Amino acid sequence: MRTFPPGFLWGAATSGHQTEGNNVTSDYWQREYAPAGTVPEVSGDACDSLHRYPEDIALLAETGLTSYRFGIEWCRIEPERGHVSTAMLDHYRRMVDRCHEHGLTPMVTLNHFTVPRWMDALGGWRHPHAAEMFARFTEIALPVVRDGVPWVCTINEPNIIACREGANLPGVAPVAYGMARPDQRVSAELTRAHRMSREVLTGVPGLRSGWTVATQAIHPLPGCEEQAYAYSRPIEEYFLEAARDDDFVGVQAYTRTFVGPDGALPPPAGAETTLTGWEYFPDALAIGVRNAWKVTGGVPVMVTENGIATADDDRRIDYTRDALTGLHEAIADGVEVHGYYHWSALDNYEWGSWAPTFGLIAVDRRTFRRTPRRSARWLGAAARANGLA
Ligand code: BGC
């Protein structure tokens, strides 16, 4: 039996836009429905979790999991600049309360990729006062997290946001594989936003805050160590270094990236790949966790996302077991890890496509019927045992 530390959190994660449905005041919705849009599939009703969250929470608790990470949507809470929806604050507070009623520890993400349309129109994270806007939103959101929310993620994967903005810069050619060079101005503004948000949150007793970083498990080809570091530093280490004073650092890991003389490379020929086209590589988690621990100089780690898009649920179990085995080894080697959140609780909207199924729980897109998979029961059993058999 591989036992995890006492109080280790076993959870699953979702984001607002990917599950709630009809997130019409968000920038992403606008992009989805833009006449000359480039987003292949729209989110629509998503999983209707806006109304069905009580069922989502109950199902997670029934499996045996002990925590739920979910996002709150800035664009619902502040649909117009300066207009705050008390009803939506109440809604998200009810989600927190519902978690407690079911014995789940809530973890709340303040920003998971989407921003209000009004903020996007002002330039989004490129605006010179984006950080102030986000800090203000953090203050507005305090009633949701002020009491009984021990873990708050400020910004989800700032490194992915900065790379997306980098790819949109004029004159930037699309990368063949991997992540685009981040827009450094956006990286800096996100860092400022995170710090200002944390200043607000630090006043709340018992609340620990941090941000979550998409780790890449970089593998240099022989002789390409320098190129690999040049690729990795602005997209991973920069964001981990910025977490050095935080209460925790969120690690998100899915796959690895090879780097050759000309940059990132696709998975090697013949490698098993998942429904997102990523290499099946469960060790990515332990690599990401160890790197975060090293680069932050010992900031406690929370695995805020790890999972696999697959139609084969047995493969999901294999992947998760192997990822958790590597995580257990990292803990045995002294890395302080407080919990593991599987991505995702539900099959949900994968930013432009419904094809990659990441869920522990299957969702029928027409009826919204939820069906927990065997993997949900498997992870729930690990949670109950606080370990792997
Ligand atoms: C994001 C999720 C996304 C998942 C799988 C992470 O980058 O936080 O929103 O669905 O990976 O792609």
Side-chain angles (χ1 to χ4, degrees):
M1 178 83 180
R2 290 190 167 83
T3 304
F4 282 72
F8 189 83
L9 290 168
W10 295 83
T14 56
S15 82
H17 189 80
Q18 292 175 271
T19 56
E20 289 176 346
N22 300 296
N23 198 21
V24 299
T25 49
S26 70
D27 62 333
Y28 205 86
W29 179 278
Q30 192 166 26
R31 219 169 299 148
E32 287 170 37
Y33 291 84
T38 49
V39 182
E41 287 188 281
V42 297
S43 56
D45 284 327
C47 306
D48 192 28
S49 290
L50 188 69
H51 304 105
R52 292 169 203 260
Y53 73 87
E55 192 184 345
D56 298 341
I57 290 170
L59 285 174
L60 293 177
E62 273 164 34
T63 62
L65 294 180
T66 58
S67 188
Y68 181 35
R69 172 182 175 223
F70 61 90
I72 63 176
E73 284 292 325
W74 181 359
C75 64
R76 289 193 197 269
I77 293 174
E78 194 180 3
E80 296 294 341
R81 190 172 194 184
H83 170 81
V84 176
S85 164
T86 311
M88 283 315 302
L89 286 171
D90 288 351
H91 164 83
Y92 288 121
R93 184 62 219 182
R94 280 195 296 275
M95 288 185 76
V96 168
D97 293 341
R98 189 58 74 122
C99 285
H100 285 297
E101 281 158 32
H102 285 270
L104 296 181
T105 299
M107 171 186 270
V108 170
T109 308
L110 300 183
N111 181 271
H112 197 122
F113 292 159
T114 46
V115 296
R117 280 186 187 202
W118 62 260
M119 200 249 189
D120 188 51
L122 292 172
W125 295 109
R126 286 178 197 283
H127 191 281
H129 296 135
E132 280 75 12
M133 295 178 208
F134 185 62
R136 176 74 194 116
F137 169 63
T138 308
E139 283 168 10
I140 291 169
L142 277 178
V144 179
V145 297
R146 193 160 24 212
D147 184 23
V149 181
W151 303 96
V152 173
C153 308
T154 58
I155 302 170
N156 182 71
E157 297 189 344
N159 51 338
I160 300 289
I161 300 173
C163 290
R164 196 186 61 203
E165 295 294 330
N168 290 338
L169 284 173
V172 170
V175 290
Y177 193 79
M179 287 157 68
R181 296 287 76 198
D183 180 335
Q184 306 274 16
R185 261 184 45 214
V186 171
S187 301
E189 190 63 16
L190 287 162
T191 307
R192 221 165 62 78
H194 170 60
R195 297 228 164 100
M196 289 184 73
S197 174
R198 267 192 29 86
E199 261 170 46
V200 175
L201 296 167
T202 304
V204 181
L207 183 157
R208 279 177 274 191
S209 60
W211 67 3
T212 72
V213 179
T215 62
Q216 309 298 315
I218 301 291
H219 280 54
L221 290 189
C224 296
E225 287 71 18
E226 266 175 39
Q227 288 93 333
Y229 192 63
Y231 176 80
S232 167
R233 187 155 197 295
I235 58 172
E236 183 160 335
E237 280 75 13
Y238 175 93
F239 294 90
L240 294 173
E241 281 165 13
R244 278 185 181 154
D245 293 327
D246 293 356
D247 301 322
F248 71 93
V249 57
V251 168
Q252 323 214 134
Y254 292 91
T255 188
R256 67 174 155 185
T257 305
F258 284 96
V259 177
D262 302 318
L265 298 164
E272 177 182 350
T273 54
T274 68
L275 290 176
T276 40
W278 304 339
E279 185 187 357
Y280 175 98
F281 189 69
D283 284 349
L285 180 58
I287 294 170
V289 162
R290 287 176 191 272
N291 195 43
W293 179 250
K294 190 178 89 195
V295 176
T296 58
V299 170
V301 171
M302 188 63 102
V303 176
T304 38
E305 286 182 28
N306 171 247
I308 170 174
T310 179
D312 177 351
D313 198 44
D314 289 339
R315 232 28 208 142
R316 191 183 329 275
I317 295 174
D318 295 341
Y319 178 93
T320 311
R321 182 191 290 112
D322 288 351
L324 282 166
T325 302
L327 182 65
H328 187 266
E329 280 163 17
I331 295 171
D333 289 342
V335 182
E336 185 181 333
V337 186
H338 286 263
Y340 170 90
Y341 291 78
H342 194 83
W343 184 271
S344 176
L346 308 171
D347 285 345
N348 60 36
Y349 178 63
E350 181 57 21
W351 305 111
S353 172
W354 282 96
T357 41
F358 274 99
L360 295 170
I361 299 170
V363 179
D364 181 311
R365 297 260 333 281
R366 204 175 42 83
T367 62
F368 306 112
R369 189 160 169 232
R370 274 92 165 122
T371 311
R373 297 193 164 104
R374 214 166 66 78
S375 53
R377 291 188 287 279
W378 180 88
L379 192 61
R384 285 183 213 275
N386 196 31
L388 303 175

